[in-house]
Amino acid sequence: MRINHTPSDQSQEGANGKAIALPVLMFAGGAIGNIIAIVVLSISRQERKSSAFYTLVCGLAVTDLLGTCLASPLTIANYLDGHVLEDRRLCAFQSFLLLFFGAAGLSIICAMSAERYAAICWPYAYRAWGVDRRFAQKFLLAIYASNVVFCCLPAMGMADSELQTSLTWCFIEWRRRDPLPAAYSFLYGAASLLLIAATVVLNCAVCGTLLLMRRKTVRRPVTRASVRERWLALSSAAETQMIAVLVLTSAVVLACSAPLVARVFANQIMHQDDYQADLTAIRIAAVNPILDPWIYILLRRSLFRRILRSSRTARKSHQRSSPTSTQALFHPDPPRDRHVVTRLLCDANLITQLPAFTSYAAEAPQPGGNT
């Protein structure tokens, strides 16, 4: 391990404990928020807890909590005593934690996107594969195991850890010109970038599928009774809530992880020591476990039902005030439709319920057949 002993005066002040309030607040916010989120997910209804999606959501909350509770105390201790991370083993351990929990968070959010993509775009295959809670748990174990092996490569000699110029955190040596350390830096950055790209593509595919479903639905003439039955079937909003949680969580995780991935490539390519940019990137990454749990907390099922109920109430009041509301309901004009987001999200429930509906239709007696 290499220790960098060329900090600026501002870095010396941070290492001496004058800026300890920030890591303490971030540690408290991440720990408390994720504990509340885990409790909220644990007291959910059984059908939600048994789903693969919410198993992955709970796995992400546990991962964020462990990352906060393991990495933050080392940072706080180093602010109190600037020589803590000069210990080779502690520095290497913190470097492993930052590598592992960064890659694990991206892997889980990508798995969540893949699960929703399979459920919405390939519902029959989704049911045939038996994607449920047990499947998600096994997939989480595979994610943890693969990331542990991948992030242990520096300790096996492929790269080394170093105390960064700010003297407040440790990470891999990402400015080395030696082949092995440079290869690992590029490998870690490429793997993270691939997970980010896959998450974006899968989420776009899900939203695109929902948009196409909506267009086909609004162009098809329907009766008043079928519209009423359709909205009653979608009143649970379970699938709609999953899409909202996925999109918001993906946006937070990707926005917080992207700066650190960019710094990995920038440091290894340009070999310039911009410690302030590196410190900013790792602090943005540390905000991720603070923001994630509040998405699960605020988008609880009861709260989401109130939001959709308010939306439907607003639609009804608008229809009463408009003389052509009935005609717009059954033959909507796309340029005048102002509720694209609500209908787009609600189509998710209709898609994932398709296998159950088709199986029911197959079992129902046909007119004129034997009973």
Side-chain angles (χ1 to χ4, degrees):
M1 183 192 72
R2 181 168 63 87
I3 305 294
N4 195 330
H5 286 289
T6 59
S8 65
D9 293 336
Q10 293 180 352
S11 301
Q12 292 272 5
E13 293 179 3
N16 289 334
K18 295 184 179 180
I20 194 175
L22 180 60
V24 170
L25 290 176
M26 295 179 71
F27 170 65
I32 295 174
N34 282 286
I35 290 174
I36 296 176
I38 293 173
V39 171
V40 169
L41 293 170
S42 300
I43 62 178
S44 302
R45 293 184 178 181
Q46 184 62 35
E47 61 268 21
R48 290 183 61 198
K49 290 191 293 184
S50 61
S51 67
F53 181 80
Y54 280 100
T55 302
L56 294 173
V57 171
C58 190
L60 183 59
V62 173
T63 302
D64 289 339
L65 179 62
L66 290 176
T68 300
C69 293
L70 291 176
S72 294
L74 288 176
T75 303
I76 295 173
N78 190 70
Y79 271 89
L80 295 174
D81 182 0
H83 301 287
V84 169
L85 291 180
E86 291 183 1
D87 184 279
R88 295 172 58 91
R89 291 169 296 181
L90 288 179
C91 187
F93 180 63
Q94 188 187 51
S95 177
F96 165 78
L97 291 177
L98 296 179
L99 290 171
F100 172 77
F101 287 106
L106 289 175
S107 300
I108 294 175
I109 198 67
C110 185
M112 291 167 56
S113 302
E115 189 273 343
R116 283 295 86 197
Y117 174 79
I120 292 174
C121 300
W122 303 93
Y124 296 103
Y126 182 85
R127 291 172 62 90
W129 295 338
V131 180
D132 54 7
R133 183 178 183 180
R134 288 181 177 273
F135 186 94
Q137 289 173 344
K138 294 178 181 178
F139 203 83
L140 281 173
L141 290 177
I143 289 175
Y144 292 146
S146 59
N147 280 290
V148 164
V149 174
F150 181 57
C151 297
C152 280
L153 292 178
M156 298 176 183
M158 188 170 183
D160 206 349
S161 301
E162 68 174 347
L163 184 61
Q164 300 299 307
T165 307
S166 62
L167 297 181
T168 57
W169 61 295
C170 290
F171 205 62
I172 55 174
E173 292 183 319
W174 46 9
R175 298 183 190 92
R176 291 279 297 275
R177 298 180 185 272
D178 299 342
L180 277 180
Y184 184 79
S185 295
F186 283 121
L187 184 60
Y188 184 83
S192 301
L193 189 61
L194 181 62
L195 290 172
I196 291 175
T199 301
V200 172
V201 170
L202 289 171
N203 285 342
C204 290
V206 169
C207 294
T209 301
L210 295 180
L211 182 60
L212 291 176
M213 285 285 299
R214 177 196 166 273
R215 287 181 178 178
K216 292 180 181 179
T217 302
V218 298
R219 290 176 181 175
R220 185 171 58 246
V222 292
T223 63
R224 182 186 299 272
S226 64
V227 170
R228 185 181 297 110
E229 292 174 358
R230 177 176 180 270
W231 280 100
L232 289 176
L234 298 175
S235 60
S236 64
E239 299 291 341
T240 308
Q241 183 193 27
M242 290 184 186
I243 299 299
V245 170
L246 173 62
V247 171
L248 291 178
T249 306
S250 300
V252 170
V253 172
L254 300 186
C256 293
S257 302
L260 186 60
V261 176
R263 291 307 303 166
V264 171
F265 286 107
N267 282 317
Q268 194 59 55
I269 293 174
M270 296 185 295
H271 299 281
Q272 296 179 356
D273 187 2
D274 188 353
Y275 85 93
Q276 193 61 49
D278 296 340
L279 186 61
T280 301
I282 196 62
R283 284 178 174 174
I284 293 176
V287 172
N288 178 38
I290 301 175
L291 298 179
D292 279 348
W294 294 105
I295 297 176
Y296 325 139
I297 296 170
L298 295 178
L299 289 183
R300 298 188 308 275
R301 188 168 179 176
S302 57
L303 179 61
F304 209 78
R305 278 180 169 177
R306 294 193 194 101
I307 295 175
L308 289 184
R309 192 180 299 118
S310 301
S311 175
R312 288 196 294 269
T313 302
R315 286 175 62 92
K316 290 180 180 179
S317 61
H318 176 71
Q319 291 169 2
R320 293 194 188 102
S321 62
S322 175
T324 60
S325 60
T326 304
Q327 181 180 359
L329 176 63
F330 297 116
H331 303 282
D333 188 9
R336 297 182 180 180
D337 188 29
R338 301 180 181 177
H339 304 281
V340 174
V341 176
T342 302
R343 293 187 179 183
L344 175 63
L345 293 176
C346 287
D347 284 336
N349 193 21
L350 185 64
I351 299 171
T352 52
Q353 289 180 355
L354 183 61
F357 174 78
T358 54
S359 62
Y360 172 79
E363 296 174 359
Q366 301 297 326
N370 296 328
T371 57

